[in-house]
Amino acid sequence: APVSTGSKTKSSEVAAVADPGTKLVDASAQTQTLNGLVINLGEVRITKDSVQVGINIENTSDEVVTFYPDQGNAVIGAMQVDANMFFTDGDVSGDIMAGVQKEGVIEFLAPDGKEIDVEAVKELKLHFGTVFDESFLESKEANFVVPVK
C-alpha cells in the first residue's frame, strides 16, 4: 500500500511492499510553520529496514525559502537513521519559491547490518534540518516528535 503525503491537493503516493512487520502511523495532525514554510506530515511507515515519512509543504511567505528535509535524520530509541535523498520520492528540497506547494515521501534507512525493532518503536523523532529565509539570516529547525502506537 502507498504512503500518503497528506496533501489535500493531489494524491501522489509511493508504492511500498506490504509487510506484516510494518507499522503505519497517521501523522497528519502534525504541522509547523517556519519562516513562512508550512510543513505538514502525512503517513509514516516503519519497517525493519526503513522509515518512510510523507510530507507536504507550502511556502506562504513572499520570498524564497531553502529547505533540505531529505538530508535529515530520524531517531528511534537509541538508533539514528539518516535520510537517503536518492530514495526520496517527489520533490521537497532546495529553494522553494513564494506560493509554491511541494510534496513527497522521505525515506530514512537503517544503518548497514542493523534492523529497526518495529514493535518496540514508541516514538519517532524527526529532524528535517533547517528552514532558511531568503537572506539566510533567519533559520529555524524543523523537528517533529511522532508518537507511535
Side-chain angles (χ1 to χ4, degrees):
V3 170
S4 168
T5 62
S7 171
K8 310 284 184 277
T9 53
K10 308 188 250 179
S11 60
S12 110
E13 296 177 324
V14 171
V17 179
D19 178 341
T22 296
K23 277 190 179 178
L24 197 60
V25 179
D26 178 1
S28 60
Q30 296 256 20
T31 182
Q32 291 182 24
T33 303
L34 305 170
N35 285 333
L37 185 69
V38 179
I39 305 167
N40 300 302
L41 300 186
E43 283 183 326
V44 177
R45 180 190 309 275
I46 304 167
T47 69
K48 63 183 175 51
D49 300 315
S50 71
V51 176
Q52 293 175 319
V53 179
I55 183 174
N56 67 83
I57 59 179
E58 180 180 3
N59 183 357
T60 60
S61 79
D62 57 3
E63 60 177 42
V64 177
V65 296
T66 304
F67 185 42
Y68 288 97
D70 59 0
Q71 295 177 20
N73 65 64
V75 176
I76 308 162
M79 183 187 296
Q80 178 174 319
V81 292
D82 292 318
N84 186 318
M85 67 175 95
F86 302 107
F87 285 88
T88 294
D89 184 85
D91 173 26
V92 290
S93 282
D95 290 341
I96 299 147
M97 303 298 151
V100 168
Q101 296 178 359
K102 292 183 170 207
E103 63 184 298
V105 176
I106 298 171
E107 186 151 352
F108 301 87
L109 299 178
D112 283 346
K114 294 198 173 169
E115 286 189 351
I116 297 166
D117 183 350
V118 176
E119 290 309 310
V121 177
K122 297 294 177 246
E123 75 174 14
L124 190 60
K125 295 178 182 152
L126 298 171
H127 304 281
F128 286 126
T130 307
V131 179
F132 291 101
D133 70 352
E134 200 165 49
S135 61
F136 285 88
L137 293 174
E138 283 290 317
S139 62
K140 304 234 185 313
E141 291 296 317
N143 297 318
F144 291 86
V145 177
V146 178
V148 178
K149 303 269 182 287

